Amino acid sequence: MGMLISEDLIGSLNETARAAHEDEFGALGRKLERRGVDIEALVKRAMAWSVAVPTWGVGTGGTRFARFPGKGEPRNIHDKLADCGVIQQLTRGTRTVSPHIPWDKVSDYNALRQEAAQDGLGFDAVNSNTFQDQADQALSYRYRSLANARSDIRAQAVAHNIECIEIGKAFGSPALTVWIGDGTNFAGQQSLSGMFENYLKAMEEVYAALPPNMGLFIEHKMYEPAFYSTVISDWGASLMAAQHLGPQAQCLVDLGHHAPNVNIEQIVARLVHVGRLAGFHFNDSKYGDDDLDSGSVDPFRLFLVVNELDEAEQRGAKGFDPAYMIDQSHNVTDPIESLMASAVEIARAHMQASLVDRKALSEAQEANDVMAAHRTLKAGFLTDVSPILAEARMRQGGAYDPIAAYRASGYRDRVAQERPEVKGAGGGIV
Amino acid sequence: MGMLISEDLIGSLNETARAAHEDEFGALGRKLERRGVDIEALVKRAMAWSVAVPTWGVGTGGTRFARFPGKGEPRNIHDKLADCGVIQQLTRGTRTVSPHIPWDKVSDYNALRQEAAQDGLGFDAVNSNTFQDQADQALSYRYRSLANARSDIRAQAVAHNIECIEIGKAFGSPALTVWIGDGTNFAGQQSLSGMFENYLKAMEEVYAALPPNMGLFIEHKMYEPAFYSTVISDWGASLMAAQHLGPQAQCLVDLGHHAPNVNIEQIVARLVHVGRLAGFHFNDSKYGDDDLDSGSVDPFRLFLVVNELDEAEQRGAKGFDPAYMIDQSHNVTDPIESLMASAVEIARAHMQASLVDRKALSEAQEANDVMAAHRTLKAGFLTDVSPILAEARMRQGGAYDPIAAYRASGYRDRVAQERPEVKGAGGGIV
Amino acid sequence: MGMLISEDLIGSLNETARAAHEDEFGALGRKLERRGVDIEALVKRAMAWSVAVPTWGVGTGGTRFARFPGKGEPRNIHDKLADCGVIQQLTRGTRTVSPHIPWDKVSDYNALRQEAAQDGLGFDAVNSNTFQDQADQALSYRYRSLANARSDIRAQAVAHNIECIEIGKAFGSPALTVWIGDGTNFAGQQSLSGMFENYLKAMEEVYAALPPNMGLFIEHKMYEPAFYSTVISDWGASLMAAQHLGPQAQCLVDLGHHAPNVNIEQIVARLVHVGRLAGFHFNDSKYGDDDLDSGSVDPFRLFLVVNELDEAEQRGAKGFDPAYMIDQSHNVTDPIESLMASAVEIARAHMQASLVDRKALSEAQEANDVMAAHRTLKAGFLTDVSPILAEARMRQGGAYDPIAAYRASGYRDRVAQERPEVKGAGGGIV
Amino acid sequence: MGMLISEDLIGSLNETARAAHEDEFGALGRKLERRGVDIEALVKRAMAWSVAVPTWGVGTGGTRFARFPGKGEPRNIHDKLADCGVIQQLTRGTRTVSPHIPWDKVSDYNALRQEAAQDGLGFDAVNSNTFQDQADQALSYRYRSLANARSDIRAQAVAHNIECIEIGKAFGSPALTVWIGDGTNFAGQQSLSGMFENYLKAMEEVYAALPPNMGLFIEHKMYEPAFYSTVISDWGASLMAAQHLGPQAQCLVDLGHHAPNVNIEQIVARLVHVGRLAGFHFNDSKYGDDDLDSGSVDPFRLFLVVNELDEAEQRGAKGFDPAYMIDQSHNVTDPIESLMASAVEIARAHMQASLVDRKALSEAQEANDVMAAHRTLKAGFLTDVSPILAEARMRQGGAYDPIAAYRASGYRDRVAQERPEVKGAGGGIV
């Protein structure tokens, strides 16, 4: 709380940009008015938007080859909340954080909720971890966790997930997200059907421990850390598992967890159709699960995904109430900057999608007027909605340019004074 | 029938190979005996194996750039049956053909069944075609067929499929296979969810026309001919459709219809688990839906797929009764040779999978002995089962070396005398 | 010429849009002025831009499964020039066409050049065709052309390419583009090194026939129509061939001819570095060589490619003088609309790249300020440059909205009256 | 040396397998004789084969998510040499090791060479490391090493590589292998051409330090650890760099460093053609650079690559003298077992390729007899050459079944007694 950036600084920087902003906001307003769109309604819609930030995302990430930490790496959940508070303060579109267990375990969750609330933050879905061995752990997950052939290892993984549910209650989390790395590196290593059956058995126990108002989000991923097969490798397997478990189980889609070339927005549409879309993990990727900043590789794909979400919301698709979260690895940038920039890019896609003339689009689709339909959709993407996003931020006390304000504030240097330097870590894991 | 190859020729060629064959068959028998495996049981298993041949597969295929026909191209279903008869005569493992409507329509299906039976052939699943416009067709499928936004176009496509069901009854076909190219080339061209809903509505009518003993096989494909989105693009969408329609609807897997790098044998395992595996379309591919000869690009992948099918059969997976078919495009080889070679390669994978010591495999899996499990599986693949396949062919009157026998018979030159030459076709479709 | 659209119509439609345009153009001018950028200079830069249109692109394309022709399909090069004339008239950014031999052969090339000039069109690189068999052709390209093992077939393909050089001279073409489908469908079908050596031998003869001022553009492609190996499959093979042949040989890059996930803008940078970039074939793709409309799948990738070209131009990279062409297949749209929309999207990327503050970008790069560098580049992409593009078109007599003007003109209906309907073509090539 | 496995144990296990082996070796001999092939010549050829083992490969690998160490992890180069000695002792086909600097630095390289020689081992190419920061390192490689924009960082990376050359001389290594992770995670982060130019400048200095008999091997990789662009991303860039540097520079190909679907054996053929193939890094992969055991995912691809190498050797391709090395990450198996199994699989591919009837293959290729050519090549692959490999091992004192002998020896338990347990490492790098 004491760490937040001075409101005076934000205000004075915003004031410097005021004249230019008003010219651009005004011009966009006139342009939209000519399309029959009220910019005020869009500003309000932009102000209502929010995406969760992962607590682990404010630390520098790495690869199996190396990790190059930056200055002022957060040491614990308190440092992480401070960093997330700055992100929310400047962007005003990241009102929740998504914690990770055991990394974010504390002794007093009520105190932590109050600490977060002081920075304007609440808690989103809690994430369990059975893809690593913890120091105090009895049995190893070397050969899988929830899908392990051994019932004692499965039981340990189930117990951890049930503990996460309890912690989630303490956090006020709406859901438990379960991502496992379980799979195999060799053909024949395990029975492909046997692993799935073991997974279902274990997840039945986790599901049974859910309170009625908590969701169980199943996150699929094509590969990595397993390189021959992965138990929950695609949305089909995720859906089969969710259907098996019950109505509180839903399917979480991460942009980087698919095979090359896959049409991800259509997967969103299918899960909406069947009423099982848990939500979306935003990031971007060019090759594998690169976990790059949202919108940095293929912003039109981001737009198309968000457009599908927007379309579902606007037509009131049954049971549609997804959770949105950023899930990225920041290896060469200041994580706070990357998370702010990503939050803005996702909000941009949301605003561009909001601009799509859905009536004209439907008419063109019904008439099989391919070119008109495509152009109607793309008109949203081609509109520079930056003035709306800036207006929405400033009306809520955020920054005209979050990264400029962050840099001007000296926050990173400030926290680096109390957070010790972390040495470059090269694990020799090649 | 009159076209079949002389049994004397086959017999005398087999006789020439006899001594070598007996040496190799004997050596393999001793080797398997040392593993506790009875070669006689495997020969019987090999003799029971069969895979269907597509009637259109005996014609030369092509690409959007060009088609280079060969000599003696079949003119009609009668020529195609003659060619398929030769394939079955020499390989003894392709006892059915899979017809395509409207290409294989005739006035008298009873006569056609008798004609086929004389060549030892029955009929497998019938395939509908709404990915092309036929000359006498009222409405165009330019903008999709069963998933079209226009109800009159959907109705035409439904009527065609219902006609196929009727023809299938006349053929004695166990199933109707529905593959559609429906999709879009542009983002926004159609509503991704709307297309799926239209598809389901249309398929409900097709499903309603099924007799109780006929299956409805839904075949997914990632892309081509649609290049932005495809309605039934993956096994998840296929499964959702099958679940929507009812128990007679099942999911057909084609080796070339997936995103790059996808683990196809795991998809087979998932569809077996949920009791919806219709069957498999065999071919091979390196890039997209290349439709190359089975086992010519990645024979170990073919083995792993067939191994999954074999494993399901041997453990008596509930409701497991798949249909197997070859589906390839032969652009630069004699289609008869390619189909015979492919039938042998699929039978090889089946025999290699049959050799896997499933008890030892299970024990290694339960012990998490990764190396032992992988080696146990791969031991099947590394065994040269050619002598078993040859023995199974010869015991049924087939050829020791089907391609050598075919070449010696002069069949292609013989049919080329009565089948007119087809000019090289370059469609200018680029 | 008589086919062109009425200037009065264009003028009156432009007039209708005038007030809105001036508001938006003015606002953009003020915004750019705040960045220190003169919008007038950009308008002039936009007016100087041009990309070639392929003559075959104005006909409806298709896939191996089917082709669904539209109304008023062009019958010959004269119809194609008329269509291309409309594209240039309305967009003012497609001042050349790229002809294809033998499809565009005529008896009098001087007359054809005059006919084109009347529509404001010149001729760009001429394309040879040895991926199909022509009706009057002695030897078949079924098993490759320039890379064939048989010297007589190579000689036929060489002769065709030399004829294209002669025709190119008559057209005034600056270059011959050689794309071959040569490759194999089976491992072992040919020697991978032998095919390359045969190709080089044949190309030496083609190269020897070049006049001094004509380039030889080598176009690589990963796969299709060959599905196991392709002789010139990537830029490495293309560069090896160009280096072998001599300084007039250069490497042409097509957006859709690469492996999944490849960084194409870096290939552009490498070919610029080595002084061998012939030019670029624009289109877009999601899966394979989908040949979709430029900028319709991944507009940021288009921007990054054009940005690399722009950067090379602005720093005066040695020998940098590339040819730009659209190369697409229009299967479900009016090809004229798709080509106009694509020309606008490519011009948009060019203008966005022109907006990048290269000095600020260099400074951020030198300081390893990753976020600042990325944001500086992306600022160009996020700017809506539509008003500059519209201004550049209108100043040259083009349309404010080319597609709206084209639709208002009734051009398609007009030509459909004299161009006979083409029946839906389903080749049965599956 | 004291760690090696008892020769008595190996001998007695071999004796147990003798009768079965002789039956199978005899049967294969007769079969090959019928093809006109002398099995004795093949045994000699198999005995002459060797592939290098990477010193780091005997430790357990991991992913960015976690590493799960096994028992008896090697602590230093001495432990690694002991493990590699066992691999060579049992397989007799891994006569050299490839060291990594700084991990394998010692004070006395002569003593180390003697230590290795006692286990029958020599040293192959030495590998430098500028993809990690070492504890005593002045400047960080966070933003690249040899391709860094800063000359002081480049100089540090050059100095490290020159040190590696010096160490390589001490090892008697024939070459220095340079793989860098240099690249970017964001579009615009660096100039794509500038990075390449900086790399070339730095490599010129490394090249200048080479003694005349030492090669400089450039290893390309598509992505990871950089996720937007990689400086040496493909064989084209690798070749450009090698050509720039001089004749001692060559291109090293790693099976897992390519885009999806790429035809790697054709890259081998191209680099052989241009006389720049440094050698090959064997492993296998399904998704990215999975570094799985050689031959475990796609053994036919392994065969096709080795076949290309074999073909080049047999026709005496000019300057062909490649280095072969295994480069894998063993995450869930005992690394010694995986390396032995991989060495056997690579030797298997080499022997299968040696069996290809190259005269018959050439004749079929010249006649465009596609099916005969493919079948001739595949006949090599389908032959079970296990008896030849076993015979070659046993004649040199190796094991009939290396993994069985290794397990029987209790080696792992023995070394685990003196090598301390390593705790499961979960870096929190996600």
Side-chain angles (χ1 to χ4, degrees), chain A residues 116-392:
Chain A
Q118 285 176 319
D119 286 349
L121 298 173
F123 287 90
D124 217 298
V126 64
N127 299 267
S128 62
N129 178 344
T130 61
F131 52 84
Q132 294 178 323
D133 287 349
Q134 306 302 327
D136 58 349
Q137 190 176 308
L139 303 166
S140 172
Y141 296 133
R142 177 176 166 111
Y143 305 110
R144 289 162 309 287
S145 58
L146 290 166
N148 205 296
R150 281 176 52 181
S151 57
D152 55 348
I153 297 178
R154 287 202 308 274
Q156 176 182 284
V158 166
H160 167 71
N161 274 284
I162 291 175
E163 183 194 10
C164 289
I165 290 173
E166 293 308 311
I167 294 172
K169 291 181 193 169
F171 273 131
S173 289
L176 167 69
T177 296
V178 179
W179 172 70
I180 54 167
D182 287 25
T184 61
N185 275 7
F186 287 83
Q189 178 178 344
Q190 282 296 326
S191 158
L192 297 173
S193 48
M195 280 188 289
F196 189 62
E197 285 158 16
N198 284 327
Y199 171 82
L200 292 181
K201 272 189 287 188
M203 285 290 274
E204 285 170 14
E205 296 181 55
V206 175
Y207 188 88
L210 286 173
N213 60 344
M214 191 179 278
L216 180 59
F217 293 176
I218 301 170
E219 184 176 358
H220 69 268
K221 184 174 178 181
M222 192 200 197
Y223 74 101
E224 195 209 24
F227 294 119
Y228 165 67
S229 77
T230 293
V231 177
I232 305 296
S233 61
D234 58 15
W235 75 274
S238 178
L239 178 58
M240 271 176 67
Q243 289 175 333
H244 177 89
L245 292 172
Q248 286 169 261
Q250 290 191 292
C251 306
L252 184 71
V253 182
D254 181 296
L255 203 64
H257 290 189
H258 305 264
N261 304 339
V262 160
N263 185 319
I264 299 168
E265 55 269 26
Q266 184 164 266
I267 291 174
V268 168
R270 292 293 171 270
L271 288 172
V272 169
H273 172 91
V274 76
R276 293 276 187 176
L277 183 69
F280 211 90
H281 272 192
F282 291 106
N283 52 58
D284 215 336
S285 60
K286 186 162 178 62
Y287 304 100
D289 184 27
D290 307 332
D291 276 331
L292 299 177
D293 284 18
S294 297
S296 69
V297 175
D298 188 348
F300 191 52
R301 180 172 58 183
L302 175 64
F303 165 79
L304 292 173
V305 163
V306 174
N307 173 64
E308 212 56 45
L309 299 166
D310 192 86
E311 192 268 347
E313 178 201 337
Q314 297 205 16
R315 70 178 157 88
K318 197 182 157 195
F320 183 76
D321 182 24
Y324 300 136
M325 193 182 103
I326 299 176
D327 186 5
Q328 301 173 168
S329 181
H330 310 108
N331 301 356
V332 293
T333 52
D334 182 326
I336 291 177
E337 293 193 6
S338 270
L339 285 163
M340 291 195 301
S342 298
V344 170
E345 291 311 303
I346 300 163
R348 182 190 307 283
H350 172 248
M351 203 37 44
Q352 289 168 329
S354 301
L355 267 177
V356 172
D357 184 339
R358 302 218 171 266
K359 186 161 168 294
L361 181 60
S362 284
E363 286 167 4
Q365 289 172 346
E366 273 159 38
N368 277 325
D369 186 343
V370 178
M371 182 56 67
H374 178 65
R375 276 162 55 95
T376 300
L377 181 67
K378 206 168 176 187
F381 180 72
L382 289 177
T383 306
D384 183 356
V385 297
S386 304
I388 299 174
L389 301 175
E391 181 72 14

Side-chain angles (χ1 to χ4, degrees), chain B residues 169-244:
Chain B
K169 291 180 193 169
F171 273 130
S173 289
L176 167 68
T177 297
V178 179
W179 172 70
I180 55 168
D182 286 26
T184 62
N185 275 7
F186 287 83
Q189 178 179 342
Q190 282 297 325
S191 157
L192 297 173
S193 47
M195 279 189 290
F196 189 62
E197 286 158 15
N198 284 326
Y199 170 82
L200 292 181
K201 273 189 285 189
M203 284 291 273
E204 286 169 13
E205 296 181 55
V206 175
Y207 189 88
L210 286 173
N213 59 346
M214 191 178 277
L216 180 58
F217 292 176
I218 302 171
E219 184 176 358
H220 70 268
K221 184 174 177 180
M222 191 199 199
Y223 75 100
E224 196 209 25
F227 293 119
Y228 165 67
S229 78
T230 293
V231 178
I232 304 296
S233 61
D234 57 15
W235 74 276
S238 178
L239 178 58
M240 271 177 66
Q243 288 175 334
H244 177 90

Side-chain angles (χ1 to χ4, degrees), chain C residues 144 187-192 228 230-231 233-237 240 243 259 263 265-266 270 273 365 368 373-374, chain D residues 144 187-192 228 230-231 233-237 240 243 259 263 265-266 270 273 365 368 373-374:
Chain C
R144 289 163 307 287
Q189 177 179 344
Q190 283 296 326
S191 157
L192 297 173
Y228 164 67
T230 293
V231 178
S233 60
D234 57 14
W235 73 275
M240 270 178 67
Q243 288 175 333
N263 185 319
E265 55 270 26
Q266 184 164 266
R270 292 291 172 272
H273 172 90
Q365 290 172 345
N368 277 324
H374 178 63
Chain D
R144 290 162 307 286
Q189 177 179 342
Q190 283 296 324
S191 158
L192 297 174
Y228 165 66
T230 294
V231 178
S233 61
D234 57 14
W235 74 275
M240 271 177 67
Q243 289 174 334
N263 184 320
E265 55 269 26
Q266 185 164 264
R270 293 293 172 269
H273 173 90
Q365 289 171 345
N368 277 324
H374 178 64

Side-chain angles (χ1 to χ4, degrees), chain B residues 43-327:
Chain B
V43 171
K44 288 200 176 62
R45 189 166 167 78
M47 290 171 71
W49 173 258
S50 182
V51 61
V53 164
T55 57
W56 64 94
V58 291
T60 295
T63 71
R64 63 173 165 143
F65 295 99
R67 189 168 84 95
F68 300 100
K71 279 198 305 184
E73 293 283 333
R75 296 156 296 181
N76 50 45
I77 181 63
H78 308 289
D79 286 354
K80 291 175 189 173
L81 284 178
D83 291 359
C84 293
V86 168
I87 296 167
Q88 160 61 5
Q89 183 190 22
L90 296 176
T91 66
R92 301 290 163 164
T94 61
R95 285 188 278 275
T96 52
V97 300
S98 189
H100 188 114
I101 304 303
W103 301 338
D104 297 337
K105 283 176 76 164
V106 294
S107 51
D108 184 343
Y109 291 96
N110 268 336
L112 199 70
R113 289 176 77 167
Q114 286 175 21
E115 185 182 330
Q118 284 177 320
D119 285 349
L121 298 172
F123 287 91
D124 216 298
V126 64
N127 299 268
S128 63
N129 178 343
T130 62
F131 51 86
Q132 294 178 322
D133 287 349
Q134 306 301 327
D136 58 349
Q137 189 176 309
L139 304 165
S140 173
Y141 296 133
R142 177 176 167 112
Y143 305 112
R144 289 162 307 286
S145 58
L146 290 167
N148 206 296
R150 280 176 53 180
S151 58
D152 55 347
I153 296 178
R154 288 203 305 274
Q156 176 182 284
V158 167
H160 167 71
N161 275 283
I162 292 176
E163 184 194 8
C164 289
I165 290 172
E166 294 307 311
I167 293 173
K169 291 180 193 169
F171 273 130
S173 289
L176 167 68
T177 297
V178 179
W179 172 70
I180 55 168
D182 286 26
T184 62
N185 275 7
F186 287 83
Q189 178 179 342
Q190 282 297 325
S191 157
L192 297 173
S193 47
M195 279 189 290
F196 189 62
E197 286 158 15
N198 284 326
Y199 170 82
L200 292 181
K201 273 189 285 189
M203 284 291 273
E204 286 169 13
E205 296 181 55
V206 175
Y207 189 88
L210 286 173
N213 59 346
M214 191 178 277
L216 180 58
F217 292 176
I218 302 171
E219 184 176 358
H220 70 268
K221 184 174 177 180
M222 191 199 199
Y223 75 100
E224 196 209 25
F227 293 119
Y228 165 67
S229 78
T230 293
V231 178
I232 304 296
S233 61
D234 57 15
W235 74 276
S238 178
L239 178 58
M240 271 177 66
Q243 288 175 334
H244 177 90
L245 292 172
Q248 286 170 262
Q250 292 191 290
C251 305
L252 185 72
V253 182
D254 181 296
L255 202 64
H257 290 190
H258 305 264
N261 304 342
V262 161
N263 185 320
I264 300 169
E265 55 269 26
Q266 185 165 264
I267 293 175
V268 168
R270 293 293 171 269
L271 289 171
V272 168
H273 173 91
V274 76
R276 292 280 186 173
L277 182 69
F280 211 90
H281 271 191
F282 291 107
N283 52 58
D284 215 334
S285 60
K286 185 162 180 60
Y287 304 99
D289 184 28
D290 307 330
D291 277 332
L292 299 177
D293 284 19
S294 297
S296 68
V297 175
D298 188 349
F300 190 53
R301 180 172 58 183
L302 175 63
F303 165 77
L304 292 173
V305 163
V306 173
N307 174 64
E308 212 56 46
L309 300 166
D310 191 86
E311 192 269 345
E313 179 201 337
Q314 296 204 16
R315 72 177 156 90
K318 197 182 156 195
F320 182 76
D321 181 24
Y324 300 136
M325 193 182 102
I326 299 175
D327 186 5

